[in-house]
Amino acid sequence: MRILGLDVGEKTIGVAVSDELGWTAQGIETIRRSSKEKDFGRIEEWIATYQVQALVVGLPKNMNGTIGPKGEYCQAFAEQLKERTGLPVHLWDERLTTMAAEKMLISADVSRQKRKKVIDKMAAVLILQGYMDANSR
C-alpha cells in the first residue's frame, strides 16, 4: 500500500511517496502553488501514478501543542483533499521537520540555492517517514 506525504505551505507543497511495503519515503516533487484546482490536480496525478491508497498531511502545531492559523489551514486542506479523492487522509505533527530537513541538507553540504528548491520535498519525506515509523510498531 503506497502512501503520499504532503508538506503544505502557502507557496509550495512538498510531495513524498512510500515504497509499496510502507517502509521508506522518497521525495518526488515540490509543487509551486498557483491555484487550488491546479494544486489538487497535480496531487491527483501523483495518486494515480503511484496508485496511492492513503495520504498524510503535515500538521504544523505550535511548540506547546496548540493549533494556530497555519495548522487550521492544513486541516482544511486535508479535509478538501479527503472530499476530492475519497482516500483516507491522516494529519501528522510536523513540528521541526523543516528545521530537521534544513540541517540534513546543510550537513550534506548542499548550497543555499539548491536547499531552497528541495527543502519542502525533504520535509514531506520526514513527515511521511515519521508517520510510517510510528504506525509500524
Side-chain angles (χ1 to χ4, degrees):
M1 173 176 115
R2 287 195 188 259
I3 305 170
L4 201 69
L6 303 171
D7 178 36
V8 180
E10 293 175 14
K11 296 180 183 177
T12 61
I13 300 172
V15 184
V17 68
S18 72
D19 64 338
E20 290 181 358
L21 298 174
W23 290 350
T24 61
Q26 301 88 31
I28 52 176
E29 181 183 25
T30 299
I31 299 169
R32 294 264 164 236
R33 302 202 60 181
S34 55
S35 72
K36 198 169 274 194
E37 194 58 39
K38 286 183 182 177
D39 299 343
F40 282 125
R42 187 67 180 140
I43 292 167
E44 289 167 341
E45 287 176 29
W46 287 121
I47 290 169
T49 298
Y50 287 101
Q51 299 175 355
V52 168
Q53 294 175 322
L55 299 122
V56 176
V57 174
L59 178 62
K61 291 183 177 181
N62 296 322
M63 291 310 289
N64 66 2
T66 61
I67 296 174
K70 285 185 179 182
E72 291 171 355
Y73 176 80
C74 287
Q75 287 176 320
F77 185 92
E79 189 58 39
Q80 291 170 345
L81 198 55
K82 183 178 181 179
E83 289 172 11
R84 270 188 79 122
T85 65
L87 294 173
V89 178
H90 309 280
L91 292 166
W92 186 252
D93 186 351
E94 71 163 54
R95 279 179 280 189
L96 304 178
T97 54
T98 301
M99 190 180 306
E102 180 88 17
K103 285 182 180 182
M104 288 171 64
L105 292 168
I106 289 170
S107 69
D109 204 27
V110 176
S111 72
R112 185 178 307 233
Q113 188 174 4
K114 288 181 183 173
R115 283 195 310 262
K116 284 181 77 173
K117 293 179 183 176
V118 299
I119 191 79
D120 297 314
K121 178 171 50 174
M122 191 77 178
V125 168
L126 293 173
I127 290 165
L128 181 54
Q129 192 67 55
Y131 173 82
M132 291 187 306
D133 290 348
N135 287 288
S136 69
R137 296 183 191 125

